[in-house]
Amino acid sequence: MTVVNTLAFAAAAALLQLPGPLDSTLGTVFLALVGFLVVLFVGRIVLSFAWRLALIAALAVGVFLFVTTFLV
């Protein structure tokens, strides 16, 4: 049983040492672009929420300003 485990470990270690499809300049550029797209997508969602929050805050402050200026 230990011989099989040792051979399996050696095979796994040999596979990990092989160059992968992303282990090149083009692969690195591809990974960078995918990461950039993920950042843009998450930023788009966050900014959508931030715009709504800023709009609600501006309306609330505007209503408060109107009430305190003209009605009080």
Side-chain angles (χ1 to χ4, degrees), residues 38-54:
V38 168
V39 168
L40 284 178
F41 183 71
V42 170
R44 180 179 174 190
I45 293 170
V46 170
L47 281 177
S48 172
F49 177 72
W51 273 106
R52 290 181 186 155
L53 188 64

Side-chain angles (χ1 to χ4, degrees), residues 12-25 27:
L15 283 176
L16 288 175
Q17 291 177 359
L18 291 174
L22 301 176
D23 194 24
S24 65
T25 304

Side-chain angles (χ1 to χ4, degrees), residues 3-68:
V3 175
V4 174
N5 287 339
T6 306
L7 287 175
F9 180 73
L15 283 176
L16 288 175
Q17 291 177 359
L18 291 174
L22 301 176
D23 194 24
S24 65
T25 304
L26 192 58
T28 305
V29 170
F30 176 72
L31 282 179
L33 285 174
V34 168
F36 181 65
L37 288 173
V38 168
V39 168
L40 284 178
F41 183 71
V42 170
R44 180 179 174 190
I45 293 170
V46 170
L47 281 177
S48 172
F49 177 72
W51 273 106
R52 290 181 186 155
L53 188 64
L55 182 63
I56 291 169
L59 288 174
V61 170
V63 168
F64 183 73
L65 177 65
F66 179 78
V67 167
T68 57

